[in-house]
Amino acid sequence: MNRKCSKESETDNSLRNYKNKHKKEVKVSSDHEKRHEILQTEEWSEHSLAELPLAVKQLCKCLDLKIGDIMAGRKQHSKWLQKDIESDELYKFARSIYNGFHFMVANKKKGKELIILAARRGSIVAEGKCYHEGWGVEKNVSKAIEFYLRAAESGNSCAQNLMGTCYSKGEGHLEKDGKKAIHWYRKAEAQQHCGAQCNVGNCWRDGEGTGGKVDFKRAVEWYRKSIAHGNSFAMFNLAICYETGEGVSVDFTKAAECYKQAARQGNADAQFNLAICFETGDGVEQDYTKAVQYYRAATESGDCRAMYNLAHCFDSGKGVTRDPAEAASWYQRSAKLGHSGAQCNLGNCFRNGEGLSQDFEKAVYWYSEAAKQGNSDAQCNLAHCYNGGMGVLQDHKLAVEWYRKSAKRGHSGAQGVLGDCYRAGEGVTRDYKQAVLWYRKSSNQGSQDSLWKLNTLMKVLNDF
């Protein structure tokens, strides 16, 4: 399982691993109300309402919408499209809906609709965003930057933040430049732009545009400023700080609390990490059922990691009734999104006929897809297929190639079988020294079978 800092189009959060815990996966609830019943467990405080920007409050008043309904996702957004709203204000509101800013629940579909509408009504920054994402027009990042720059130079804080992000990533025709990135972030944060505040925090966290200086305490300060304006990405990053002890003391309970807040706003990375917390009992009481609920929520945003872990829950019966067919279904969804672990496990499902009809050729296909990404389990399984002629023509030489790739990545099983190949001269020239080498590597990782073979071979060689 991987915990990661979230990365969003308006908030440049550099991806950083917190932990690598490899697991398998689960299914999503298509019932929107059920999702909110799961996630919306606390009422919004008066403090939260007070922190909403004036523009958002005025917009809600103009649209005759209750702020609490907007934040809790209880209002349909279609009626917004019928109102005559100033285009840049509409964009600000749209980005809040899209990203889950200002304590709102993220809704990318509706946010996108509103951004496109704002562009049609003349918002320069919205038009740039459409070119950036390829929404309704052919994607052209360099052209998007031209629109951003025009709006940024006229004082538009959203455009200024986007300029910072483009410089941070080196997008379009721009070269990566941390100093210019933080320059634009600073201009935007001076206008209380919560995304820019979070990004300034990221700059201090990563030493970008700060002369290489890393200052986690300053990063935390900026995350807190952004959180006061309801930025779920800043809340997520603060949770990571509590887990890693960067800028604050390690506190898994506070980390989980931050994840919960960000998860309520629809932050998929927070939902995923919170699910891991419930699965492992880090900062919360271990609860596999809740872990499944939050994995489900994260899958609604297309998170292939959540799909993979959800599949494993169905595979193992953790938090749900064991269901091989449902597990295979989620492995397949995750695999199609490129998750190598899911691709490998889907190959296992096809090979063993678990949850779907046995099909060796499809097993080989998915093992191959995962093996190309360097998945050592898939590489070893693909080697088995070539070695035994399962789903492919038998080819001992090709089998040895895949065993070697897997073995070099530290796969104990592949190391042991590669030792067998060298000892027997199957697919490779017989070489007892190489056999000893690979048996030893495998036995050093605890393989009793390889240890027995190593001792047996060494005895034979010593007798000579």
Side-chain angles (χ1 to χ4, degrees), residues 231-302:
N231 188 324
S232 67
F233 298 101
M235 183 69 77
F236 177 86
N237 285 355
L238 181 60
I240 295 292
C241 291
Y242 276 120
E243 287 189 323
T244 60
E246 294 175 336
V248 291
S249 299
V250 172
D251 191 325
F252 291 109
T253 300
K254 287 184 178 179
E257 290 173 358
C258 290
Y259 284 140
K260 285 179 183 179
Q261 174 71 15
R264 287 190 204 101
Q265 291 177 241
N267 186 301
D269 287 324
Q271 291 165 348
F272 178 77
N273 282 10
L274 183 58
I276 294 176
C277 290
F278 278 114
E279 188 167 358
T280 60
D282 288 343
V284 293
E285 185 176 347
Q286 192 173 49
D287 189 326
Y288 292 122
T289 300
K290 286 186 178 179
V292 168
Q293 290 173 348
Y294 281 101
Y295 282 140
R296 285 182 188 275
T299 62
E300 292 183 16
S301 298

Side-chain angles (χ1 to χ4, degrees), residues 89-163:
E89 290 304 308
L90 177 58
Y91 175 78
K92 289 178 183 178
F93 197 36
R95 81 178 238 290
S96 294
I97 291 296
Y98 186 86
N99 293 311
F101 288 169
H102 305 306
F103 304 99
M104 295 185 184
V105 176
N107 187 324
K108 293 192 179 297
K109 181 180 178 181
K110 293 302 178 184
K112 175 183 173 180
E113 290 176 3
L114 287 170
I115 290 172
I116 293 173
L117 180 63
R120 290 173 180 167
R121 290 185 178 178
S123 170
I124 296 174
V125 64
E127 196 167 350
K129 186 68 173 174
C130 289
Y131 276 109
H132 202 149
E133 303 293 341
W135 293 342
V137 293
E138 185 177 350
K139 185 172 181 177
N140 188 328
V141 178
S142 292
K143 192 167 185 177
I145 291 171
E146 292 176 10
F147 282 101
Y148 293 157
L149 185 59
R150 282 172 54 195
E153 289 178 339
S154 67
N156 186 296
S157 63
C158 294
Q160 290 167 344
N161 182 55
L162 287 165
M163 282 299 300

Side-chain angles (χ1 to χ4, degrees), residues 311-411:
H312 181 257
C313 291
F314 279 111
D315 213 354
S316 62
K318 282 187 176 181
V320 288
T321 302
R322 188 174 186 276
D323 188 335
E326 195 68 16
S329 174
W330 283 106
Y331 282 140
Q332 197 156 22
R333 296 188 192 191
S334 182
K336 288 180 179 179
L337 292 173
H339 193 288
S340 67
Q343 291 168 342
C344 181
N345 285 358
L346 183 58
N348 293 339
C349 292
F350 277 115
R351 182 190 66 191
N352 301 324
E354 293 181 354
L356 35 71
S357 300
Q358 190 174 55
D359 190 322
F360 293 131
E361 289 185 1
K362 287 183 179 179
V364 169
Y365 171 80
W366 286 111
Y367 286 149
S368 298
E369 291 297 298
K372 291 173 188 175
Q373 296 193 63
N375 185 295
S376 63
D377 287 330
Q379 290 170 337
C380 185
N381 289 348
L382 183 59
H384 289 330
C385 292
Y386 279 110
N387 207 31
M390 185 172 61
V392 290
L393 291 175
Q394 191 174 51
D395 189 329
H396 294 306
K397 288 186 178 180
L398 201 50
V400 168
E401 288 182 21
W402 283 111
Y403 281 135
R404 192 186 308 281
K405 288 181 180 180
S406 180
K408 285 183 176 180
R409 288 183 171 273
H411 193 288

